[in-house]
Amino acid sequence: MYLHAPLPELCKAGVVSNHGADFKLTVDDVPVPKPGPGQLLIKLNVTGLCYSDIHYMLEDLPLPRMGDHGVRSPGHEGAGIVVAVGSDVVGWKVGDRAGVAPTWDTCTYQEYIVSPARYTSRIPDGVDDFSAGPIMCSGSTMSRAASGPFQFNRDTIR
């Protein structure tokens, strides 16, 4: 594993307890994760919650429960900088700007997260983190909808 600088042992995270209609989200100290093979450790500068995260905390839709998958922090869109690279990662280095796309095992409502390198997006120069973070979710959804197997045109939109 290649490190940018000495990392803290703990970081801040939004942690969900009491899932359901009375869910509670608190800011707690959690261990800084260590990247495993094929993973990047990213220090997030920006993160966000999308409404699907609210549904996961409320458990009001027939969706998988966060806690059943070991997920304690909601959120799945973020932007930051790579601070450590796990083994078997090719094409990423410490200092690269990175965006986190929706994956079930990536929690983004915390300062430091691990992300599978193959699902992490590069943030180009000239795009600020406040713009890049939300694009990881809603922007990628719209891009896929516009370019995927089902494409909209004026005749199909009414």
Side-chain angles (χ1 to χ4, degrees):
M1 176 172 63
Y2 180 73
L3 297 175
H4 178 260
L7 298 172
E9 291 183 26
L10 299 173
C11 68
K12 300 289 185 201
V15 176
V16 178
S17 61
N18 195 35
H19 292 81
D22 296 322
F23 77 86
K24 184 177 182 183
L25 183 64
T26 59
V27 176
D28 295 341
D29 288 325
V30 299
V32 171
K34 308 262 188 275
Q39 294 181 326
L40 303 170
L41 178 64
I42 301 169
K43 181 179 188 315
L44 291 180
N45 296 321
V46 174
T47 191
L49 291 175
C50 124
Y51 207 80
S52 61
D53 297 309
I54 304 297
H55 287 300
Y56 286 126
M57 291 183 284
L58 286 170
E59 295 183 349
D60 63 344
L61 295 177
L63 299 168
R65 293 167 22 119
M66 289 174 47
D68 293 345
H69 297 274
V71 177
R72 299 176 50 209
S73 297
H76 58 264
E77 51 193 44
I81 187 166
V82 175
V83 294
V85 177
S87 64
D88 302 328
V89 173
V90 177
W92 286 94
K93 66 183 184 315
V94 169
D96 286 344
R97 294 181 64 222
V100 180
T103 57
W104 208 193
D105 59 351
T106 300
C107 308
T108 63
Y109 210 54
Q110 61 188 58
E111 292 177 286
Y112 290 86
I113 62 158
V114 290
S115 179
R118 66 183 180 170
Y119 296 127
T120 305
S121 299
R122 292 185 188 284
I123 299 175
D125 292 337
V127 177
D128 65 87
D129 290 339
F130 289 97
S131 298
I135 290 173
M136 297 301 120
C137 179
S138 58
S140 62
T141 300
M142 293 309 297
S143 174
R144 180 69 178 140
S147 64
F150 180 79
Q151 294 184 8
F152 293 102
N153 63 46
R154 290 177 195 217
D155 296 330
T156 61
I157 300 173
R158 298 202 193 284

